[in-house]
Amino acid sequence: MRIEEEIKLAFKDVLIRPKRSQLGSRSEVSLEREFKFLHSGKIWKGVPIIAANMDHTGTFNMATALSEHKVMTALTKFIEPEQWVKFVAEKVARKNFTFVSAGLNDKDIPRLQQIQKQADFDFICLDVANGYTQRFVDFIKRVRETFPDKTIMAGNVVTGEMTEELILSGADIIKVGIGPGSVCTTRKKTGVGYPQLSAVIECADAAHGLKGLVCSDGGCTVPGDVAKAFGGGADFVMLGGMLSGHDECLGDIFEKDGKKFKRFYGMSSAEAMNKYHGQVAEYRASEGKSVDVPYRGAVENTLLDILGGVRSTCTYVGASELKELSKRTSFIRVSMQINDIFNEYNVAG
C-alpha cells in the first residue's frame, strides 16, 4: 500500500485565468481542428466533440444532427451491421463524423468486418470500463492488424503509462476517464478513479509525446467544463449527460409530476445489462445508474450553447483557434469555500 500526496484536480477545482486578448468577438474564434492520426495516417478536420457511445446518445439521429455541425458521434456497440447500410447510403459524408463502437469479445471483430464490408467506416471506438487489462492491450493489437487504415479510439484509462501502452499497441486516440460520468457509479462501487482534469493533463502529456491524441470522457456538466478539458490538453471531448434528454436520443418522452422526461442510463447499469445480457452476472456488480432527465427538445440548441461557451472561453484568453486554447490556459485552484458556493449555484441552476 502507498499514498500519493500530490494534489489531483477535477474540473470543479479550477477556473481559467483571463488574459489580454486582441479578439473582439466570439465569431472570430474557430473551433475546428485538423489532426493526422498516428497509426491510420488519416487526416480529419472538424469540431472535436463526440457524443458518447451510450444507448441514449449514440444514435443515428444524434449522428445525423451533430454531423451538420462537424461534430462527431460514437454510436452504441449494439447497433447491427445491416442498420449501417441505410445510414451511410443516405449521406456518405456522415461516416467521417461517426465511430463504430465495439467491446472486446470474440464476436466484435467479425461484426466490424461485416460493417466494413456493407457500409465501410473510418473510425473505431473500442470501449471497455477497465482499459488496464492485458486482454484489452492484445485486442487493440488484433484490431490494428485487421484494420490497418482505420482510426482507433480506445479506453478507458487515466494514467500516462497506460496511455503510452495503448498508443504503442495501435490506438490513435486514448479515451480518458474512470468514474466521472453522470450515470457512472464506478467510484462508489469500487473505490477506483482519478480526478478528471489531472487525468486529462497527465494522459495528454504522455500521448502527445508519442504523437497520439486523447479524448476526455466524462465529468463535463456545463460548457465551462468542456473548455477546461480542452484547456488541459484534451484533443477531443466526449459528452453523455450534457447531450441527454433530446429528441435525437433513444427513448420515449414521458410525463412525471406534470413535467416531461426521457430515460438515461449508464452502459454498466443494471438496466443496460438486463436489456442486453438478461441479467447482472453473479460475478460482478452494476457500476452505473438509471435516471430520468428533463426533456430538452432538439439537440442543436444545446450544442450551440456548448460551442458558444467554448468560443467565449477562447476570447477570454486570446485564442483565435481551439488548438491555441491549451497553450494559453492558466488554471487557478479554487478555494474550498468558493468551490462549495459554485457547486450550490450549479445545482440550483
Side-chain angles (χ1 to χ4, degrees), residues 270-283:
E271 187 166 347
M273 285 189 279
N274 287 330
K275 179 177 180 180
Y276 293 110
H277 307 293
Q279 62 179 355
V280 179
E282 291 183 359
Y283 60 85

Side-chain angles (χ1 to χ4, degrees), residues 1 25 148 167 215 232 250 281 284 332:
M1 185 277 291
S25 169
I167 290 173
C215 174
L250 182 73
R284 64 174 299 175
I332 305 168

Side-chain angles (χ1 to χ4, degrees), residues 13-123:
D13 297 320
V14 301
L15 292 172
I16 296 174
R17 186 180 186 273
K19 293 182 178 178
R20 182 74 169 83
S21 173
Q22 296 292 328
L23 296 172
S25 169
R26 298 177 190 177
S27 63
E28 299 176 35
V29 176
S30 172
L31 296 184
E32 289 191 22
R33 292 207 60 180
E34 182 173 289
F35 296 111
K36 182 175 182 180
F37 300 110
L38 175 63
H39 297 291
S40 72
K42 298 286 182 66
I43 295 175
W44 177 85
K45 185 175 182 179
V47 179
I49 290 175
I50 308 172
N53 53 306
M54 306 168 75
D55 273 5
H56 193 66
T57 53
T59 68
F60 285 131
N61 287 337
M62 182 68 73
T64 299
L66 297 189
S67 66
E68 296 298 320
H69 297 273
K70 298 184 179 181
V71 171
M72 306 188 82
T73 300
L75 295 177
T76 172
K77 60 187 175 184
F78 297 103
I79 293 176
E80 296 300 324
E82 54 270 18
Q83 295 175 277
W84 277 87
V85 179
K86 181 180 178 182
F87 173 70
V88 173
E90 288 178 347
K91 195 170 184 180
V92 177
R94 288 175 186 158
K95 73 175 188 176
N96 195 40
F97 297 98
T98 309
F99 283 85
V100 180
S101 298
L104 74 165
N105 64 46
D106 294 337
K107 297 180 180 179
D108 279 304
I109 291 181
R111 174 177 167 272
L112 290 171
Q113 290 174 316
Q114 187 178 354
I115 294 174
Q116 182 186 33
K117 183 178 179 180
Q118 293 186 358
D120 200 11
F121 54 82
D122 294 326
F123 297 90

